[in-house]
Amino acid sequence: MKITVNGVATAFDAAPSVADVLSADNIALKGAVSVQVNGEFVDEGGYTETVLNDGDELDYLFFLGGGSRR
Amino acid sequence: MEFTEERLSRYSRHILLKDIGIKGQQKLAKGRVLIVGVGGLGSPVALYLAAAGVGVIGIADADVVDLSNLQRQIIHFTPDVGKPKVVSAARKIAELNPDVTVVPHEEFLTAENAAAIIRNYDFVVDGTDSFPAKYLINDACVFERKPFSHGGILRFNGQTMTVIPHETACYRCVFPTPPPKGVVPTCAEAGVLGAIAGMLGTIQAAETLKFLTGAGTLLTNTVLTFDALDMTFRKISVKRNPRCPICGKTPSLVELRDEEPAVCDFSPKGAP
Ligand SMILES: [Zn+2]
């Protein structure tokens, strides 16, 4: 099955959870990203129970600080 | 503002633009913009807004120019090391464009002073490098209903979104709470390519000028993120989050407070 992860079609053997998709992209630390599935935010508490279907789109965004020193 | 020959000449390339013209240039002259942090992002923002003839530019920063700033904070020059950033920036703005009034706020934004400072402006630019400051700007702008541009940079990456509070997604809609300690490094810890600050800062400056003149479509409900290593730009649509702690259906944040500064001492695997 194919999931579009950050705009890139990605193949998975079985229906992955949000947590599976993140770990496939080596995102080990919780709280480092904001996740949307098909345009809806998924809270961190729901990463394991939210299972994706073929054709779903998952987008994740990293926190970025940066700018002026303080 | 009266358009003398000199001003017609200074702003001629703006006036030629059908989306700006004399009317847009007048709007810029009436515009009041607060830049929070005149560092990597705030430097190009301040320079481009000054060059564009934005009437009042407020700069809030309590920092002093450090030698390590000069790699990217292009409003500050070598002889400015040791001077307050607001003093250094104000001088460059005055030299660049005497039409601009600079309001220096030689202080960091805090839960106590943020609302009172922000209230004097039409638009706010987040040029800060700490999550507590970014959340404070978001929260103060949401409470004051003040449109703002969020921006963040790290290593070779940049990310920005324009927020019209209570109309479009805010920073907390996307990132409800600051990252846990140690999860996200800052530029001081992980480094940043100097030009990245220019790339993102000029996007924020362009958004500010679009907001003031009404030109085009703002980067609202959209996060623009780029990776300069391969020059990929991506726009991610977001929308207001009903569970947002500040602009959602049942907000848990009802007054301004300072978020605890996170201690970030390592870089996460898979981080940008
Ligand atoms: Zn929100």
Side-chain angles (χ1 to χ4, degrees):
Chain A
M1 65 186 300
K2 283 232 164 60
I3 309 288
T4 304
V5 180
N6 280 2
V8 178
T10 309
F12 288 87
D13 292 337
S17 67
V18 170
D20 295 334
V21 174
L22 294 181
S23 67
D25 275 11
N26 286 323
I27 298 159
L29 288 163
K30 279 191 164 186
V33 291
S34 164
V35 174
Q36 290 186 99
V37 173
N38 300 329
E40 300 290 338
F41 290 104
V42 179
D43 294 341
E44 198 181 305
Y47 287 180
T48 314
E49 68 204 40
T50 306
V51 175
L52 304 176
N53 299 305
D54 193 34
D56 277 354
E57 292 181 15
L58 184 149
D59 282 292
Y60 61 85
L61 284 164
F62 285 101
F63 271 101
L64 280 197
S68 164
R69 189 175 73 90
R70 182 184 168 176
Chain B
M1 177 191 272
E2 193 200 333
F3 278 89
T4 56
E5 280 295 310
E6 195 189 321
R7 287 195 177 116
L8 286 173
S9 173
R10 178 184 283 271
Y11 303 118
S12 59
R13 302 304 190 275
H14 270 171
I15 292 166
L16 282 169
L17 292 170
K18 76 167 173 45
D19 292 311
I20 308 257
I22 288 267
K23 271 201 181 121
Q25 195 58 48
Q26 267 159 343
K27 287 179 187 165
L28 295 180
K30 285 193 197 121
R32 304 175 60 92
V33 177
L34 175 69
I35 301 169
V36 186
V38 65
L41 299 174
S43 289
V45 173
L47 289 170
Y48 273 104
L49 297 190
V54 170
V56 177
I57 299 177
I59 39 181
D61 204 320
D63 220 345
V64 165
V65 179
D66 184 85
L67 191 58
S68 68
N69 298 154
L70 304 184
Q71 164 257 16
R72 66 201 176 283
Q73 303 185 12
I74 55 165
I75 205 167
H76 310 300
F77 302 162
T78 306
D80 299 317
V81 169
K83 287 184 198 159
K85 286 186 177 174
V86 290
V87 172
S88 163
R91 213 197 75 232
K92 308 307 171 4
I93 293 171
E95 285 181 9
L96 175 53
N97 191 347
D99 287 344
V100 176
T101 303
V102 182
V103 182
H105 302 274
E106 201 176 335
E107 52 195 330
F108 288 123
L109 231 56
T110 65
E112 283 71 47
N113 68 14
I117 294 176
I118 282 172
R119 220 166 273 156
N120 298 313
Y121 297 92
D122 304 318
F123 192 84
V124 176
V125 179
D126 168 14
T128 64
D129 177 21
S130 85
F131 288 106
K134 290 189 185 303
Y135 280 88
L136 180 68
I137 292 167
N138 182 75
D139 297 353
C141 288
V142 171
F143 285 136
E144 294 297 316
R145 294 180 177 264
K146 202 64 79 180
F148 73 100
S149 167
H150 159 81
I153 49 172
L154 191 69
R155 299 193 183 105
F156 293 87
N157 299 78
Q159 194 162 284
T160 179
M161 173 169 75
T162 302
V163 177
I164 311 289
H166 299 285
E167 290 178 33
T168 70
C170 83
Y171 186 53
R172 279 194 195 267
C173 287
V174 183
F175 297 104
T177 52
K181 289 182 182 193
V183 167
V184 183
T186 65
C187 293
E189 293 144 0
V192 63
L193 185 74
I196 300 297
M199 289 174 68
L200 197 81
T202 50
I203 293 171
Q204 291 185 286
E207 284 291 288
T208 308
L209 298 175
K210 283 164 57 191
F211 173 83
L212 293 174
T213 57
T217 311
L218 294 168
L219 208 48
T220 46
N221 286 328
T222 307
V223 177
L224 174 71
T225 173
F226 67 79
D227 182 345
L229 280 179
D230 53 11
M231 281 300 169
T232 33
F233 282 68
R234 211 161 69 86
K235 276 163 102 175
I236 295 114
S237 292
V238 293
K239 56 186 180 190
R240 285 183 69 190
N241 186 343
R243 299 183 302 280
C244 174
I246 192 162
C247 81
K249 289 211 171 80
T250 50
S252 54
L253 292 166
V254 290
E255 60 174 15
L256 218 48
R257 60 179 167 88
D258 291 306
E259 292 280 359
E260 283 298 306
V263 180
C264 309
D265 52 4
F266 64 96
S267 76
K269 207 182 167 208

